[in-house]
Amino acid sequence: MQDYSITFRSHASCAERYPENPQTMSTALPRKELFDIPEGIIYLDGNSLGPLPRAVTSHVSNVVTAQWGAQLIRGWNESLWMQQPGRVGDLVARLLGAPPGSVMMGDTLSIKVFQALAASLKLRPERRIILSDNGNFPTDLYMAQGLIDTLGQDYELRVVDPEAVEASIDESIAVVMLTQVDYRSGRLHDMKTITALTQEAGAISLWDLAHSAGAIPLDLTASQCEFAVGCTYKYLNGGPGSPAFIYVRPDMIEQTQPVLAGWMGHDAPFAFDQQYKPAMSIERLRVGTQPVIQTSALEAAMQVWEGVDMQDVRKASIALSERFITEVEARCPALTLASPRSANERGSQVSFAFEHGYAAMQALIDAGVIGDFRAPNIMRFGFTPLYLDENDVLKAAMILQEILDDRRWDDPRYQVLNAVT
Ligand SMILES: *Cc1c(COP(=O)(O)O)cnc(C)c1O
């Protein structure tokens, strides 16, 4: 077995091996040094859990010792913990093409899906149908099912094929709830067109941007959608358990019932009023106390986006994904592309179907290339140009080829299913 981590550390050595393609020019935005990625690892799983931005380590340590440790309860005022969810929301808003004051951080994405969905139904009380697609992430569908069970009446979750969404939007639909980028295939929904159709039908648009935020350019203002939600531990690198975000179109905030009527979303939390009265701003989407330390990790992680134009990220991500597809198809004929072939119809990930995908992914991870696996047979690879370049992508494809050529996946220790795949 060859140790690629040594052989291909520099661009020069890579170009030597591939004289037919001498300019393996870096397409990376110059940010790799802002991340703390272990030596010898090629990380193609930032779509699942982003790596650690260096700024997070010292910031979190400071929050723990200088804020929590030294300030104690005074941290809420002295370190502005109270303003933290909205302050970080404004940082996220820029990447979503949303104005300041339209995004709130907190809770988990599952909870934000529930909150936005319930608020959407309240806005269309005469309608009963939630429209979604079968490419959606299961938790989004489960939250809808749970909400419907709670509401009773004759609410219905209608789940259609992704290609059938547009034709299924009509005036009976209360809310169209979709995830823009399919977590398995990377297939990208046309947000602008679907939102326009939804609005023509008088329904509410709720977009899950879990695989979009920090991955592709977004313009929520132009899309006119009412609600968007997403998580921050994927492309936004906030760390495991970092808080979710919820966007409400600014003109809709005062009509939006937060549904989860927690004290932090109250107009005056410290009045300790017996009656709930929502804040007249995006603050009403808060529920309870935010995870201050984890939100601090996200706040520091957002520094890597300073001065970054999402159009540049998109261009670089397409270049990396296209290169990966070309290399893998040439080197690994046993794998079948399971993502749309056209870059315009893909998010920032590429999936391949392979019968022994789980074991092959375990072998690949063992060889230092981290991607992940989604049942039943999908090997999934995420591309984040902030810390990946074409050399990484090429090296990953070569190591994958070696694993397939040597049938290294056929080792019993790679067949053992982990709890998290
Ligand atoms: C990652 C992801 C989730 C995860 O939800 P959590 O509540 O953060 O665990 C939900 N929905 C989609 C579409 C996702 O991609």
Side-chain angles (χ1 to χ4, degrees):
M1 194 208 334
Q2 205 163 358
D3 183 356
Y4 288 110
S5 65
I6 292 164
T7 315
F8 293 109
R9 186 157 292 151
S10 74
H11 288 194
S13 58
C14 187
E16 271 163 33
R17 174 90 170 238
Y18 288 91
E20 78 276 14
N21 201 347
Q23 79 290 25
T24 40
M25 280 295 294
S26 168
T27 50
L29 299 148
R31 309 245 146 188
K32 209 167 190 165
E33 71 289 353
L34 298 182
F35 291 88
D36 202 348
I37 298 173
E39 190 63 37
I41 293 287
I42 298 176
Y43 197 60
L44 304 182
D45 213 6
N47 53 311
S48 211
L49 176 70
L52 172 65
R54 290 190 193 279
V56 170
T57 314
S58 55
H59 185 62
V60 167
S61 160
N62 183 59
V63 169
V64 169
T65 54
Q67 296 184 13
W68 177 24
Q71 295 172 350
L72 298 159
I73 190 83
R74 295 170 293 185
W76 284 98
N77 291 318
E78 291 174 10
S79 290
L80 305 175
W81 295 344
M82 196 61 184
Q83 290 78 7
Q84 184 190 43
R87 184 170 71 234
V88 178
D90 285 348
L91 299 176
V92 173
R94 185 180 79 80
L95 298 183
L96 307 180
S102 65
V103 174
M104 184 49 61
M105 308 309 297
D107 316 300
T108 70
L109 177 50
S110 302
I111 289 172
K112 284 331 202 190
V113 167
F114 183 93
Q115 192 179 29
L117 192 56
S120 300
L121 294 178
K122 291 269 188 194
L123 287 164
R124 292 293 178 273
E126 67 295 348
R127 300 188 183 191
R128 287 287 176 274
I129 300 169
I130 299 166
L131 179 68
S132 192
D133 73 42
N134 54 28
N136 208 342
F137 192 82
T139 203
D140 297 47
L141 302 176
Y142 302 161
M143 294 312 282
Q145 289 161 13
L147 175 61
I148 286 175
D149 282 351
T150 307
L151 291 173
Q153 305 169 51
D154 39 2
Y155 280 100
E156 176 192 336
L157 171 63
R158 187 171 294 169
V159 180
V160 301
D161 290 338
E163 303 74 33
V165 166
E166 293 184 20
S168 305
I169 299 171
D170 62 32
E171 297 189 354
S172 68
I173 307 291
V175 47
V176 179
M177 174 187 79
L178 296 170
T179 297
Q180 189 189 17
V181 178
D182 185 302
Y183 73 105
R184 263 181 310 211
S185 68
R187 187 257 319 118
L188 182 64
H189 266 311
D190 179 348
M191 185 166 172
K192 208 170 149 211
T193 304
I194 293 176
T195 303
L197 284 171
T198 303
Q199 306 217 314
E200 265 168 49
I204 302 286
S205 273
L206 162 52
W207 286 98
D208 188 328
L209 304 176
H211 294 276
S212 309
I216 59 176
L218 291 163
D219 192 344
L220 288 185
T221 299
S223 86
Q224 293 280 328
C225 73
E226 283 87 354
F227 296 102
V229 293
C231 51
T232 59
Y233 48 78
K234 292 172 181 163
Y235 293 93
L236 297 182
N237 315 307
S242 67
F245 64 81
I246 183 165
Y247 160 86
V248 183
R249 202 176 74 199
D251 64 299
M252 303 291 299
I253 290 172
E254 294 186 12
Q255 306 163 52
T256 296
Q257 292 194 39
V259 181
L260 299 169
W263 75 302
M264 283 288 176
H266 193 279
D267 192 41
F270 285 85
F272 296 105
D273 208 336
Q274 298 275 303
Q275 284 305 310
Y276 179 71
K277 177 172 176 262
M280 297 308 282
S281 70
I282 194 70
E283 294 283 322
R284 67 171 55 196
L285 278 308
R286 289 173 78 165
V287 182
T289 305
Q290 82 273 15
V292 173
I293 297 169
Q294 188 74 64
T295 310
S296 300
L298 174 62
E299 186 164 16
M302 291 303 293
Q303 286 177 26
V304 303
W305 298 99
E306 275 167 23
V308 172
D309 182 337
M310 285 308 298
Q311 301 290 348
D312 294 337
V313 172
R314 178 66 171 159
K315 256 185 243 145
S317 139
I318 288 176
L320 295 177
S321 313
E322 295 282 271
R323 182 72 195 273
F324 188 68
I325 292 173
T326 305
E327 293 294 335
V328 171
E329 288 193 322
R331 295 162 182 279
C332 313
L335 269 55
T336 315
L337 183 66
S339 294
R341 190 163 290 280
S342 160
N344 295 330
E345 294 165 26
R346 277 198 317 263
S348 201
Q349 65 178 71
V350 171
S351 300
F352 284 94
F354 178 49
E355 191 191 345
H356 307 286
Y358 178 76
M361 184 54 79
Q362 300 317 301
L364 192 62
I365 292 170
D366 239 8
V369 180
I370 302 184
D372 63 19
F373 173 80
R374 287 295 173 264
N377 62 351
I378 298 292
M379 298 178 76
R380 200 170 67 147
F381 304 91
F383 296 93
T384 308
L386 296 185
Y387 52 82
L388 289 170
D389 59 31
E390 255 189 272
N391 197 37
D392 296 320
V393 163
L394 180 56
K395 202 161 117 182
M398 292 172 63
I399 296 172
L400 180 58
Q401 175 183 13
E402 211 186 59
I403 283 163
L404 294 167
D405 286 352
D406 298 353
R407 293 177 63 93
R408 239 189 283 163
W409 48 264
D410 206 8
D411 182 323
R413 75 198 154 112
Y414 296 138
Q415 320 286 328
V416 184
L417 208 61
N418 287 321
V420 174
T421 61

